[in-house]
Amino acid sequence: PWNYYKIVEFFGTLNISDDGAAFYAQAEDAAKDEINYSRNYDHTGWQALYVPFDIPYDEISDNFDVSELNDVHQFDDDDDGAFDRTELEVLRLKAGDVIVHNTPYVIRAKAAGEHTITLTDAALYKSEAVSLDCSSLKYRYVFQGTYSGVSGSDMYSNGYYTFSEGTLCKAASASAALGGFRWYVSVED
């Protein structure tokens, strides 16, 4: 029956220039002839990645390492009863894997500078701030994706963690704003 089929329209090209202030809001799924996602990688350390489209890892593996999130560990290095260091455990993607839309990942450019990921005949998914939970016996870690970013005052006052120069760390000041196409972590008792 015809009602088992869906008409899919392709709507040209979507160019996203992610300069840390990029914003994305889409109410429903769509398809694009081409998606160009440009981002400036100031360094070759790990960075948060959260995108509204799927990316076959094989298509970007020459220029990027990508890992999925697995676990969080906190360490009391000086035995004073307070955590001194927080580490994120990740699992590297391999040939055949896919970066899935609306899912937090970490990405590392193999060379610093601006890079563009180009996808053809791609599905573009509605913007959703999906969260993932990870727990230890003491804390619950909530990974929250954002397409609109988070203000520096919210990052700082809520004690959120994200990547800064390749390292997972807690927001240290009210100027530590987070751009779109990123994710952050809240820590709850």
Side-chain angles (χ1 to χ4, degrees):
W2 284 107
N3 60 357
Y4 286 4
Y5 295 90
K6 178 179 177 184
I7 295 174
V8 176
E9 295 182 45
F10 285 84
F11 298 99
T13 300
L14 173 66
N15 294 311
I16 300 169
S17 180
D18 182 355
D19 58 2
F23 175 78
Y24 171 76
Q26 172 115 358
E28 58 187 37
D29 297 348
K32 292 287 180 183
D33 293 325
E34 184 175 277
I35 297 173
N36 296 302
Y37 175 68
S38 299
R39 183 168 172 173
N40 188 357
Y41 296 84
D42 294 335
H43 53 78
T44 57
W46 291 107
Q47 298 181 33
L49 177 69
Y50 190 77
V51 292
F53 42 81
D54 295 343
I55 305 171
Y57 180 61
D58 294 344
E59 292 184 19
I60 66 168
S61 63
D62 289 344
N63 296 315
F64 299 97
D65 292 320
V66 179
S67 294
E68 58 186 329
L69 311 183
N70 185 56
D71 206 350
V72 177
H73 305 281
Q74 290 189 300
F75 301 91
D76 179 8
D77 295 325
D78 57 11
D79 293 325
D80 67 351
F83 289 125
D84 302 303
R85 178 170 48 101
T86 302
E87 290 187 2
L88 180 63
E89 180 182 303
V90 298
L91 182 63
R92 281 270 184 88
L93 295 188
K94 59 189 180 321
D97 286 344
V98 173
I99 299 165
V100 178
H101 65 282
N102 296 333
T103 303
Y105 288 88
V106 290
I107 189 168
R108 176 171 62 189
K110 293 182 179 178
E114 185 165 308
H115 298 279
T116 299
I117 296 170
T118 299
L119 304 169
T120 56
D121 297 335
L124 185 63
Y125 296 90
K126 66 181 177 181
S127 58
E128 294 182 303
V130 175
S131 65
L132 299 173
D133 290 10
C134 175
S135 298
S136 69
L137 293 175
K138 187 163 179 65
Y139 293 110
R140 179 175 154 225
Y141 306 93
V142 180
F143 294 82
Q144 182 71 49
T146 180
Y147 289 116
S148 58
V150 180
S151 73
S153 59
D154 283 346
M155 290 291 293
Y156 181 66
S157 64
N158 291 310
Y160 294 153
Y161 287 75
T162 195
F163 278 86
S164 176
E165 298 181 11
T167 303
L168 181 69
C169 55
K170 190 183 234 181
S173 73
S175 64
L178 181 67
F181 298 90
R182 310 286 193 280
W183 53 263
Y184 58 95
V185 182
S186 62
V187 180
E188 304 168 0
D189 284 340

